Amino acid sequence: MKKALLVVSFGTSYHDTCEKNIVACERDLAASCPDRDLFRAFTSGMIIRKLKQRDGIEIDTPLQALQKLAEQGYQDVAIQSLHIINGDEYEKIVREVQSMRPLFSRLTLGVPLLSSVEDYAQLMLALQQQMPALGENEKVVFMGHGASHHAFAAYACLDHMMTAQRFPARVGAVESYPEVEVLIESLGQEGVTAVHLMPLMLVAGDHAINDMASDEEDSWKTLFNAAGIPATPWLSGLGENPAVRAMFVAHLQQALNVALEEAA
């Protein structure tokens, strides 16, 4: 039976960050199941269109990728999401996978990064490996994407766990709660004298470059500096962190093990 591995991310239009983050994850996932052929899909229609218009590069949506795999005779397809939370983008994959089930003998789907209580604890350990050495009264502030989907609560949950465990970092979100203003006020009250800004995103793309690290008046760096808390931005996506990649591999293997148990 022909077996495939389909790795699905939101996507990015930055080639260097794609290589450092998405390709790095794909490589580790493929190495964990050498009996499968590797394929890629993005969930962002905007990025897919941009890559086609600007670079002539064609990337499939999960639905298109699955249709092609069915046409090529693949019967056992393992899909791994590289999304951070179980939000809209992940639900899109779930719907498309459900609609394609009849075409395959087996379709398995590995969950996003933050899907269980254990994942939060595991992610904190992983983040420790990429955090710089901190001076007294310094903290790291991680920028999450945020979401209009109710899964946005994942960011506040991670932030809360960090505070409860006296972990030297906080989490905010660009498009939902906790807003950067909430963090600035809270860190100011704590007497934090400097912060390091890092993306809590698979890739360091537009949000990290513009909303976090730029000199624009509403960027996180500018807002922290204006509040008297000097901010140092770091532009590395989570995909560059080997311990984060290992979490995605574990999610894929978990999904495959469950599928085997169900088939037994």
Side-chain angles (χ1 to χ4, degrees):
M1 195 189 319
K2 283 176 78 173
K3 293 181 174 185
L5 165 64
L6 176 62
V7 182
V8 184
S9 61
F10 181 79
T12 180
S13 60
Y14 293 88
H15 295 305
D16 55 341
T17 197
C18 181
E19 195 66 35
K20 284 189 225 164
N21 295 278
I22 295 173
V23 173
C25 288
E26 290 171 345
R27 206 178 287 129
D28 286 12
L29 288 161
S32 78
C33 42
D35 58 335
R36 295 177 180 273
D37 300 328
L38 175 66
F39 297 89
R40 170 187 295 172
F42 288 172
T43 55
S44 169
M46 184 183 66
I47 287 171
I48 290 172
R49 286 190 297 276
K50 185 172 181 178
L51 285 171
K52 187 173 181 181
Q53 289 161 4
R54 189 189 69 189
D55 307 323
I57 294 173
E58 302 223 7
I59 306 276
D60 292 328
T61 63
L63 192 64
Q64 290 167 334
L66 289 170
Q67 282 164 341
K68 287 181 185 175
L69 290 172
E71 285 161 16
Q72 290 167 31
Y74 286 93
Q75 275 302 295
D76 178 344
V77 181
I79 302 141
Q80 179 57 47
S81 155
L82 295 183
H83 294 82
I84 308 300
I85 62 171
N86 289 258
D88 288 319
E89 297 296 316
Y90 179 65
E91 287 187 350
K92 206 189 287 183
I93 304 171
V94 172
R95 283 193 303 273
E96 296 186 353
V97 166
Q98 286 302 96
S99 71
M100 298 300 280
R101 275 198 191 282
L103 299 182
F104 298 91
S105 303
R106 183 184 297 158
L107 275 184
T108 52
L109 176 57
V111 292
L113 192 65
L114 291 173
S115 295
S116 69
V117 175
E118 293 75 25
D119 288 339
Y120 287 78
Q122 194 77 39
L123 181 59
M124 284 162 64
L125 288 174
L127 293 175
Q128 243 170 340
Q129 299 188 17
Q130 69 177 65
M131 285 162 60
L134 297 172
E136 203 180 344
N137 298 329
E138 286 189 4
K139 281 200 174 173
V140 175
V141 173
F142 286 98
M143 173 191 265
H145 189 281
S148 53
H149 187 279
H150 56 79
F152 84 87
Y155 299 106
C157 177
L158 183 60
D159 180 57
H160 186 278
M161 284 174 80
M162 285 177 171
T163 303
Q165 294 179 29
R166 294 185 168 75
F167 188 80
R170 297 292 302 269
V171 178
V174 188
E175 293 180 6
S176 56
Y177 183 83
E179 291 98 346
V180 66
E181 291 79 7
V182 172
L183 296 184
I184 290 171
E185 188 183 347
S186 167
L187 291 168
Q189 285 169 354
E190 268 180 54
V192 168
T193 53
V195 293
H196 296 264
L197 304 175
M198 290 187 157
L200 191 79
M201 304 174 187
L202 184 73
V203 303
D206 272 333
H207 282 299
I209 293 164
N210 300 318
D211 300 325
M212 187 186 86
S214 76
D215 293 322
E216 287 170 27
E217 60 186 37
D218 58 349
S219 83
W220 285 24
K221 184 180 85 171
T222 303
L223 294 172
F224 269 103
N225 286 338
I229 305 174
T232 306
W234 298 75
L235 287 173
S236 53
L238 293 181
E240 292 180 49
N241 184 328
V244 170
R245 298 199 297 268
M247 288 178 66
F248 284 122
V249 170
H251 285 186
L252 172 64
Q253 294 304 324
Q254 214 173 344
L256 289 169
N257 289 339
V258 168
L260 282 176
E261 284 164 18
E262 285 172 358

